[in-house]
Structures are given as C-alpha cells and as structure tokens.
Amino acid sequence: MRVFNLNLKPRSAQSRGWATRMLPLGQLCLALNSYAQEPIQDSVSYLDYTSCLQKALLSEDDTTTLGDIRNRCRQVDQPKPLSSRKLNEEVTEQNPFVLTPHRLNYALLSHYANGVNETPFEEQAGKTLAYHDEEVQFQLSFKFPLYKDLVLFDKSFDFYAAYTNRSFWQFFDDQDSIPFRETNHEPEVWVEWDADFDFPFEFNLHKLMLGVNHQSNGQTSILSRGWNRIFLQGFLQHKNSFLSFKTWRRFDEKDEFDNSFNYQKYLGDYELEAAYKWNKNTFAMTLRNRYDANRYGSVQLEYTYPINRRLKGYVQYFNGYGDSLIDMQYFSRKLGIGIVLADRI
C-alpha cells in the first residue's frame, strides 16, 4: 500500500484561503493524478475533487494513505456555485500567466437586431451609412486583487480592480470598411467582504461589494458618452443558483455635454441578476430599471451549454433600452448566438 507523504506542514488555522498558500496547482495536479486510478464520480467536479485533495495534503497525518484521501474526496459535498467559483479564482490569482474572469466572457458571432441605431453616427459622419441589422458582439472582462486580507472591525476585506470591454462590430458592413460601431469601456475598483452567512433553507450570503465604476465609449464630440457611479452589490447563493442585487448612484460630471444625458432614466437605479445551473446547462436573467419603474428598463435572457471542456455555446436575448451607451435612448430587440469562454457559474 502506498503512503502519500509530502511532509507538508499546515499553516495556522487562522490563515484564510488555503488555496492561496499551496504549491502551484499544476504541480499538485500532476502529482495527484499520477496516483489516481479510478474515475471521479459525476457528482463531484474536477475542481472540487482536486481542491479536496490539496486541502488534505495540508492537514492529514503522514500515515494517511492516498486511497483513503481519494475515497473521501469522491464523496465531497458539491459546494454552492459562487463558493466553487471563488475557490477557482483564488487558484488563478496565484498564476501570473492567467487572467481571472470577472463578468461573462463571450463572443456573439451572429447578433440580429430589430434595427441598428444609425442616427448619431450619420450625424457625425455627415452621410448615410450602410450599417447592417446583424453584427458581431463580444465582451472581455477580467479582474485582479489589489490587496487581500485587510482586517477592519474584526472582518477581513479584499480590494479588487477590474476592466470590462464590450464591443459591437459591424463585421458585415463592407461598404463602410467593417467598423466597430461602439465599444464600451468599464474599469472599476471595489472592496469586498466574503460574508459566507447562512440562512434557512440552504441560502447563503456569499459576499458584499462596495466600489466605484466608470463607463464610457471612448468617443469625442457628439458621439461621446460616459458616466461615473458608486455602487453596492450583494450575492445570495443556493444549491445550483445565485441572485445578485446591484444598486448605484451617479456622480455629477464636470463636462456639461455628459451631464446633458439622463443616464439613470435609461440605465436605471439597480440591476437584478439571477442564474440557475441545471445539469451542465446554465440559464440567466438580468433586469434593469428605476425604483419608480418606467418603460425604459431592460431584460436580458441567456442560456449556455457545454461544447467541450473549454467552450460553451451561448444564446442571448435582449429587450429594452441601454444595450450600449450610444444606444441608451434607443429601443433594441436583439438575439445572438455564439460562444462563452468563462461563464458565471
């Protein structure tokens, strides 16, 4: 019988985030997988299984056999979706060659609309454009820690920064040289508290975030759009789902042109996001509106399904106002099909 002995000494029990203290994930996985002789049960994900193995390496006695550890980890309870994602993020944050996903990372290869908002571009160009109702849309979003484990009022806080790029590409408009119709840039910084507070019926308050967000389209003159806001966001999770509520307040701008747009009328005062995972399929919905509800809100429905271990198929439906900053005052009804690189859960 093999004895698995790496002579690792466990750190203090007060040290938070064991995933951030271990050997590089790749080295551990190679070492552990060389011993694995049986398949992992479908109910236990690869990440949960390897995470359990790594935790055991830091805490088990030297005489514990690898077989005992493997058997125990195959029976590990499936963590709630945001907790599982958090563990994965703690691992990627230790790898300087990996970007940790923030929001959904996707590409809609075919994105059909009920009509593209051409007016502001034609006013700026002084001519009629040949924009198509079909375009390519993609979003790239990543985050990174600025400072972790700051203790205030007996609570531990983490500071993060993130950047999200969302682009609308007129890929089928050869006449106008295949332009990028709109690109929204969204950098933000925030402090978060990993609440991990349990409620009845297996609900869990995962974390709270307080931060500052800037969103603009990088344009000048009459095409310029941009606003700044302070936001508060909370995440509640259940077995295979989560619910997020985000609210914000806009800062007044020094630029009178930016102040002339009523961003909150069309982009709302809050955003409600929900996602549910069924087998390997994920369903999501995002609602945005004002507290005194108006007709300028929006709803976005999304569905992802696995293609392989790395990619997921993606379907997105949007209905309402504010799909992008330049389309803030323009009603859109869109349906897109593409792929997802990094899903919510």
Side-chain angles (χ1 to χ4, degrees):
M1 180 178 297
R2 292 178 179 175
V3 177
F4 200 57
N5 184 357
L6 292 185
N7 293 322
L8 293 177
K9 296 181 180 180
R11 301 280 184 95
S12 168
Q14 296 179 350
S15 298
R16 176 175 164 271
W18 57 267
T20 64
R21 303 192 305 268
M22 60 182 63
L23 293 175
L25 177 63
Q27 296 179 17
L28 282 169
C29 288
L30 287 174
L32 293 170
N33 289 341
S34 67
Y35 284 90
Q37 299 175 354
E38 301 174 19
I40 303 171
Q41 293 180 2
D42 292 338
S43 61
V44 182
S45 73
Y46 175 80
L47 175 61
D48 300 327
Y49 180 72
T50 55
S51 298
C52 177
L53 292 175
Q54 294 172 67
K55 189 173 183 178
L57 290 177
L58 297 177
S59 59
E60 291 295 329
D61 185 86
D62 289 346
T63 59
T64 303
T65 68
L66 178 62
D68 292 339
I69 294 175
R70 287 208 315 265
N71 289 334
R72 187 188 315 133
C73 289
R74 289 193 184 98
Q75 305 301 322
V76 67
D77 292 333
Q78 183 79 17
K80 291 181 174 63
L82 295 179
S83 296
S84 180
R85 173 173 176 150
K86 177 66 176 178
L87 178 59
N88 193 17
E89 290 176 352
E90 288 181 343
V91 173
T92 61
E93 287 170 3
Q94 303 308 303
N95 189 338
F97 300 102
V98 174
L99 293 176
T100 301
H102 178 40
R103 299 179 185 172
L104 203 69
N105 283 269
Y106 66 81
L108 291 171
L109 306 178
S110 295
H111 197 223
Y112 301 91
N114 63 325
V116 172
N117 181 20
E118 300 176 344
T119 302
F121 303 97
E122 292 180 341
E123 291 177 353
Q124 195 263 355
K127 64 177 183 179
T128 301
L129 300 175
Y131 284 174
H132 289 226
D133 290 346
E134 179 186 0
E135 61 185 2
V136 173
Q137 177 183 322
F138 60 86
Q139 177 170 286
L140 300 175
S141 182
F142 62 90
K143 67 179 182 179
F144 53 91
L146 298 175
Y147 191 89
K148 303 198 71 170
D149 299 330
L150 176 65
V151 178
L152 294 172
F153 311 110
D154 295 325
K155 304 293 184 182
S156 182
F157 296 89
D158 297 330
F159 290 83
Y160 278 88
Y163 172 74
T164 301
N165 175 299
R166 189 157 171 255
S167 295
F168 301 78
W169 187 13
Q170 278 287 310
F171 183 78
F172 306 99
D173 180 11
D174 292 331
Q175 183 174 326
D176 296 309
S177 192
I178 316 180
F180 276 81
R181 183 176 63 88
E182 171 80 335
T183 296
N184 289 170
H185 308 274
E186 194 167 352
E188 53 192 327
V189 293
W190 70 88
V191 58
E192 68 178 47
W193 171 48
D194 292 328
D196 194 21
F197 186 83
D198 290 328
F199 291 97
F201 307 107
E202 299 187 61
F203 286 95
N204 172 267
L205 177 61
H206 177 61
K207 67 180 178 181
L208 296 174
M209 300 166 53
L210 176 66
V212 177
N213 172 290
H214 168 76
Q215 189 179 31
S216 65
N217 64 354
Q219 296 282 2
T220 60
S221 186
I222 62 173
L223 293 181
S224 175
R225 303 288 187 275
W227 65 323
N228 298 289
R229 51 186 166 160
I230 183 172
F231 69 88
L232 176 66
Q233 187 172 13
F235 293 83
L236 185 70
Q237 60 178 337
H238 198 242
K239 292 180 180 179
N240 298 308
S241 61
F242 80 85
L243 178 69
S244 165
F245 178 78
K246 181 178 182 180
T247 185
W248 52 77
R249 184 169 182 82
R250 181 192 175 192
F251 296 119
D252 287 334
E253 308 294 334
K254 294 181 180 180
D255 190 311
E256 291 301 323
F257 182 75
D258 282 336
N259 270 335
S260 66
F261 293 97
N262 192 342
Y263 289 90
Q264 289 183 267
K265 176 180 178 180
Y266 299 97
L267 300 179
D269 299 312
Y270 71 90
E271 184 177 85
L272 190 65
E273 179 183 7
Y276 174 74
K277 194 167 187 177
W278 176 67
N279 291 332
K280 296 181 179 181
N281 304 278
T282 302
F283 302 87
M285 177 178 67
T286 304
L287 301 174
R288 189 173 60 228
N289 209 319
R290 304 213 68 173
Y291 289 120
D292 52 343
N294 61 28
R295 65 184 183 89
Y296 300 108
S298 67
V299 58
Q300 182 166 292
L301 305 176
E302 297 161 279
Y303 168 63
T304 65
Y305 55 94
I307 297 175
N308 53 40
R309 184 169 176 176
R310 186 60 185 172
L311 296 177
K312 289 186 175 182
Y314 182 45
V315 179
Q316 181 195 98
Y317 172 74
F318 178 88
N319 186 302
Y321 291 82
D323 187 37
S324 70
L325 288 179
I326 202 69
D327 295 334
M328 180 175 56
Q329 299 163 285
Y330 184 81
F331 175 78
S332 300
R333 186 182 294 114
K334 300 182 176 182
L335 178 65
I337 300 175
I339 59 172
V340 162
L341 300 177
D343 206 345
R344 291 177 173 85
I345 52 178

